[in-house]
Amino acid sequence: MTESKWLQLDEKAQNILIKNDRGGFTVPTAGLYPNQWNWDSAFAGWGFSTFDIERAWQELESLFAGQWNNGMVPHILFRSNDPDYFPGPDVWGTEECGPISSSGISQPPVAATFVRAIWEKDKTIGNNRLKKIFPKLKAWHKWFMTWRLTDRNCIFISHPWEAGRDNSPDWDNAMRAINPVGVGEYTRRDTSHVDGSMRPTQEDYDRYLWLVQRGRKLKWDEELMSVNRPFEVADPTMTFILLRASRDLLHMATALGVDNDEISEWCSKLREGIETLRNPDGGFFNAINCQTGEHSGNITSASFLNWYAGIDDDETLKILTKTLEEARYPIPSLSINSEKFDGMRYWRGPTWVVLNSLVGVGLSEMGYIAEATLLRKRTQSLILEKGFAEYFHPIDGTPGGGDSFTWTAAVWLAWASPSNGEY
Ligand code: DGY
């Protein structure tokens, strides 16, 4: 790619972040996602940090402005009650729980890692900001360790939306066991923005809403919700990401000179828990239905997050090599050889550059420069050829979901763009 080409893409990506800025926070994309989403926002902060550090801090700070008293940081902050999004605040019913109207579940905690990256870019600006945000990050991690830790020390999700990989086949077994009686009539808005073939099915949505209605009935009280949970799946996304983020938190605690024993203990526990996610037949990391102990058997992009969490693994390296040989584009959200593969349906096949950036960062940190470079170069060509879409078909690159997408632009700026140099 020529320099003028990539500089043009840098500018385009910056403009997407600026266009999706709603005054101190960004929306993932206009129309389909008109609110502030948790991990999208953290990625946006990473992207902003390449050209506007002040704005990068604001993004993270605005996310933590919505933190609940119990430490949870919601997956959606309803900054405006846009009738074009469903389910909105009236469905979630969380008025009593936090300072900003929000959903009642969380999302993968990438924030501490991006806070560290933003702080390290300019510590003169960052030191004071870090001091303020650090206790909030720690409280959120503590919430995960209190309410989402399995007895085998991995992190489970209580709703498919919590993992951010909404309709991944990783949840199929647990979702099938839910009978969504009484969910009532409702109108989806997502399928008025993008074609239904790219979105979760109606059966999925009935269950998503049924779980939301249960939370609402229990007033989002974690203690009450933990009794006979209808959905509880140990998740590699959450476990690897929380471990990585806790390591970054530990680093920042040491720099700030504050007590870090508790964080250190979290890291050890999660490190121990990772091994339980290994599929006994395939050797790869996968999700486990906590109610039945059943492994999902799926190779997803989350299966390759071990390096990001600082864990080397020969078995996964073999599978990665094969995965990279099989496709022209970056790692798909589900192996193209899976019988459940559906190349355009959200998290059941498409390639998401966000997950690939995390895998790439992990690989390069652990010395797998060739693999990391390949992922990065493929991401560059994909964005160059197909634009800043939400996700892409992993075989032919067709763009899917929303366009002018915040986190695709952010990943371009902070990781994929050649402006970041070579590894
Ligand atoms: C959606 O609305 O599709 C979101 O992914 C839920 O968080």
Side-chain angles (χ1 to χ4, degrees), residues 66 117 126 174 236 284 327 369 381:
F284 49 85
I369 305 301
S381 338

Side-chain angles (χ1 to χ4, degrees), residues 3 96 133 143 255 271 275 301 324 330 346 353 355 370-371 403:
E3 186 171 357
E96 309 291 310
I133 207 166
W143 175 86
R271 175 67 192 87
E275 209 36 54
S301 35
L324 293 175
Y346 214 34
V353 302
L355 259 291
E371 291 79 359
D403 61 8

Side-chain angles (χ1 to χ4, degrees), residues 108-126:
V110 286
T113 301
F114 295 140
V115 162
R116 177 175 172 184
I118 297 166
W119 166 64
E120 285 181 341
K121 281 218 150 161
D122 186 339
K123 290 192 183 171
T124 341
I125 297 182

Side-chain angles (χ1 to χ4, degrees), residues 33 37 75-76 85-86 107 161 166 199 205 346:
Y33 307 115
W37 260 262
H75 102 292
I76 306 176
Y85 180 77
F86 178 86
Q107 238 179 3
W161 286 340
D166 303 12
R199 295 290 302 172
Y205 255 79
Y346 214 34

Side-chain angles (χ1 to χ4, degrees), residues 168-230:
S168 168
D170 273 355
W171 334 127
D172 284 2
N173 293 338
M175 285 287 267
R176 226 173 284 130
I178 294 175
N179 182 5
V181 246
V183 83
E185 295 281 307
Y186 61 93
T187 307
R188 285 173 63 170
R189 305 297 311 177
D190 59 325
T191 42
S192 68
H193 295 288
V194 300
D195 194 88
S197 62
M198 295 194 278
R199 295 290 302 172
T201 62
Q202 197 55 38
E203 290 72 33
D204 289 329
Y205 255 79
D206 285 351
R207 286 162 179 78
Y208 297 157
L209 285 182
W210 187 86
L211 287 168
V212 170
Q213 290 168 359
R214 175 179 184 265
R216 184 190 177 128
K217 263 183 232 136
L218 299 175
K219 300 196 180 323
W220 301 103
D221 178 319
E222 289 293 348
E223 191 85 56
L224 296 177
M225 286 192 294
S226 66
V227 180
N228 297 326
R229 276 186 197 279

